[in-house]
Amino acid sequence: MNHKYLKQIFWSLAIFLSSCNYQKLIENLPEMPEIQNSRQTPISRERVAISSDVNELEKSVFAQVNQYRQSQNLPPLKWNNTIAQQAAIHAQKMANGKATFSHDGFQQRVEIISQKIPYKSAAENLANNFGYSNPGEKAVVGWINSPGHHKNMVGDYNLTGIGIAKNSEGTYYFNQLFIKTR
């Protein structure tokens, strides 16, 4: 069996299994106070190593997701830097091995976002891949073909942020967060 074919099967399975449909519907949520955690210093987007190709890839994935939403007669998502910062931090942690390829910490990411953006619901899509000429397109197609990811892509959300990081072996890690504001 072709090694490249096996690798594609593996990554497709990884994308499928990473589906997350964490939605937290909150009615009449009081405004969240500013929370300072002395044990963990928030990582600013500037402190995360970002190359220009990753920035372009984030823009491309954002455009592809909105193009798909519009093909489904849904309004486009609006980019939000606060959300993108949290997505980028998690993508970078997965890429450098400080976090597993998982939705661990999703609730904390949403809580940080909620300090600036009152929300009704939130969701997260993850992907990782290696060896593709267009890794962003591969991630988006994988999300479209995965029921859980697809549900998030076409869900009732209005804001998004995308973070992508590439590790030293060339694997790309994608994190897209979806937010529905109050």
Side-chain angles (χ1 to χ4, degrees):
M1 197 176 250
N2 184 330
H3 177 69
K4 185 175 181 179
Y5 180 72
L6 286 174
K7 191 184 289 186
Q8 287 177 322
I9 291 172
F10 172 79
W11 289 118
S12 295
L13 182 60
I15 289 170
F16 176 75
L17 293 174
S18 73
S19 174
C20 175
N21 188 25
Y22 293 114
Q23 292 192 7
K24 183 178 179 185
L25 299 174
I26 300 174
E27 300 296 329
N28 303 318
L29 178 70
E31 201 63 37
M32 293 289 289
E34 180 96 7
I35 298 170
Q36 297 294 327
N37 183 344
S38 60
R39 292 182 303 136
Q40 180 181 3
T41 305
I43 301 172
S44 72
R45 184 135 171 112
E46 292 76 38
R47 289 178 52 195
V48 176
I50 300 174
S51 64
S52 62
D53 69 317
V54 168
N55 285 329
E56 291 303 313
L57 197 53
E58 289 169 349
K59 291 176 191 173
S60 173
V61 169
F62 174 65
Q64 290 174 62
V65 168
N66 271 336
Q67 181 179 13
Y68 182 75
R69 284 178 60 89
Q70 288 177 314
S71 78
Q72 303 297 302
N73 297 316
L74 296 168
L77 299 166
K78 292 182 180 141
W79 183 270
N80 181 278
N81 286 329
T82 298
I83 299 168
Q85 180 180 29
Q86 291 306 308
I89 290 168
H90 187 56
Q92 186 65 43
K93 285 180 178 180
M94 289 186 295
N96 66 23
K98 292 184 179 176
T100 60
F101 179 68
S102 71
H103 297 287
D104 292 349
F106 169 72
Q107 190 60 45
Q108 291 85 352
R109 289 186 284 286
V110 173
E111 286 174 15
I112 291 168
I113 291 166
S114 75
Q115 293 174 20
K116 294 184 180 178
I117 303 168
Y119 76 101
K120 288 183 184 178
S121 60
E124 177 176 68
N125 280 351
L126 300 178
N128 66 16
N129 61 52
F130 172 83
Y132 295 99
S133 60
N134 190 336
E137 181 179 347
K138 187 68 177 171
V140 172
V141 168
W143 289 337
I144 290 169
N145 292 324
S146 164
H149 291 100
H150 184 264
K151 184 177 179 179
N152 293 340
M153 283 180 68
V154 300
D156 183 21
Y157 302 104
N158 59 324
L159 298 178
T160 194
I162 299 167
I164 302 170
K166 182 179 175 183
N167 72 11
S168 59
E169 290 83 34
T171 300
Y172 287 89
Y173 290 83
F174 299 79
N175 184 353
Q176 181 170 20
L177 292 165
F178 301 87
I179 298 290
K180 172 68 174 178
T181 56
R182 284 196 276 146

